Amino acid sequence: MMVARTRGELAEALARLRGDGRAVALVPTMGALHAGHLELVRLAAGHGAPVASIFVNPTQFAAGEDFARYPRDTDGDLAKLAGAGCAAAWLPDVAEMYPPGDATLIEVAGPALGFEGAARPTHFRGVATVVAKLFGQVRPEAAVFGEKDWQQLQVIRRMVADLLLSVRIVAAPIVREADGLAMSSRNRYLSPAERAAAPALPLVLQRAAAAVKQNAGAALEDAVRALREAGFAPDYVALVDGPTMRPLPAAAEGARLIAAARLGAVRLLDNIAVR
Ligand code: AMP
């Protein structure tokens, strides 16, 4: 696996991949990689030479969030990426991504409004900005994003459509632990007791996904109650139109059940299709 830490090294790595006539499939990450990220790399391999970026992006963290203490494990990450068949890793530093005097951010509305956009008002602007920069640097034919961050995936699709970018966005299904908890770099912050309680979130969503077909309002209320009983402080449980993130009054084609709930200091996200 090639490892690029400067723009020059990235250009060299991309030239080598493209010289072999290969398309490039980008997997943007913030590192602290787990099996979920590695599935994205494997999926990317079906669309081109997988190139993973590792960059903890300051602009998607608000003041007081965990930017400084976000888990970082570059050596471990590189070993995992190589093991998963990644062709190249791109590890830019902050000055590379945000040149001195930088004055450009990408404003996103539509699917970025509400839910995570309400809880973290500058978050998706930071995500969209850094993903656009990564697309500009790597110019991938495809890019893979996880359904774990459902709203983020919709924001990226919207941005690609609106900025007329010619990158194919590939969605990767959520990778879960054996007990159903969606894998996340932040799961390591759960205490043993919290970790034991955490699988209630996917379980409650699974039940609610069946119940919303009868009575959506009652199903969402029941879900919030069940999460509280399991020790969570729910931020939201909502039924939305998958691509637009607009709340739905009843189950419909393309509906998604999304939830965010805090367990102690850790905020967990999950979502499930309503079929
Ligand atoms: P992150 O490093 O948290 O920014 O995540 C990088 C990418 O991995 C994003 O597209 C996430 O949606 C995706 N991802 C993270 N966890 C999972 C998971 N458990 N299953 C599928 N994709 C995931």
Side-chain angles (χ1 to χ4, degrees):
M1 183 178 74
M2 295 179 278
V3 178
R5 294 174 190 272
T6 64
R7 218 182 324 172
E9 289 169 358
L10 176 67
E12 227 172 89
L14 293 173
R16 256 208 253 170
L17 297 175
R18 293 220 156 86
D20 295 341
R22 302 176 73 185
V24 167
L26 178 67
V27 180
T29 82
M30 296 207 300
L33 302 180
H34 51 64
H37 295 112
L38 302 182
E39 268 312 301
L40 269 58
V41 171
R42 287 187 199 103
L43 193 59
H47 298 267
V51 174
S53 60
I54 300 177
F55 180 63
V56 184
N57 172 36
T59 63
Q60 71 190 70
F61 292 81
E65 288 186 352
D66 58 349
F67 173 69
R69 60 173 203 114
Y70 193 84
R72 289 162 170 90
D73 174 22
T74 308
D75 292 343
D77 288 346
L78 292 176
K80 288 176 194 167
L81 288 174
C86 193
W90 169 224
L91 281 62
D93 61 20
V94 173
E96 181 69 62
M97 300 305 283
Y98 294 96
D102 84 289
T104 306
L105 290 164
I106 295 183
E107 282 298 340
V108 284
L113 300 178
F115 310 111
E116 291 311 288
R120 308 175 69 190
T122 58
H123 174 67
F124 286 128
R125 180 179 78 184
V127 171
T129 300
V130 80
V131 169
K133 287 169 184 263
L134 289 168
F135 286 175
Q137 290 170 322
V138 178
R139 297 176 315 285
E141 278 75 11
V144 184
F145 293 84
E147 290 184 346
K148 160 77 179 16
D149 300 282
W150 182 265
Q151 191 173 8
Q152 168 174 283
L153 171 64
Q154 311 318 316
V155 170
I156 298 299
R157 284 195 191 283
R158 188 70 252 173
M159 176 187 77
V160 164
D162 292 345
L163 298 185
L164 317 173
L165 305 179
S166 57
V167 52
R168 184 165 65 256
I169 302 301
V170 178
I174 301 176
V175 179
R176 299 180 179 280
E177 304 286 357
D179 59 13
L181 177 65
M183 290 188 184
S184 165
S185 305
R186 290 185 173 108
N187 288 351
R188 68 187 68 190
Y189 296 137
L190 295 168
S191 71
E194 289 163 352
R195 178 62 190 82
L201 177 59
L203 201 68
V204 165
L205 279 186
Q206 222 170 20
R207 275 197 222 122
V212 286
K213 288 177 224 160
Q214 318 302 321
N215 180 338
L220 297 179
E221 278 173 28
D222 285 350
V224 168
R225 196 174 317 120
L227 286 176
R228 289 216 174 94
E229 281 165 11
F232 284 84
D235 270 2
Y236 57 79
V237 180
L239 182 67
V240 300
D241 173 53
T244 63
M245 299 299 295
R246 288 204 193 100
L248 290 174
E253 179 74 26
R256 200 90 189 173
L257 201 54
I258 59 168
R262 271 167 297 122
L263 201 50
V266 185
R267 199 157 166 279
L268 298 178
L269 299 185
D270 207 338
N271 66 86
I272 185 170
V274 175
R275 295 188 204 286

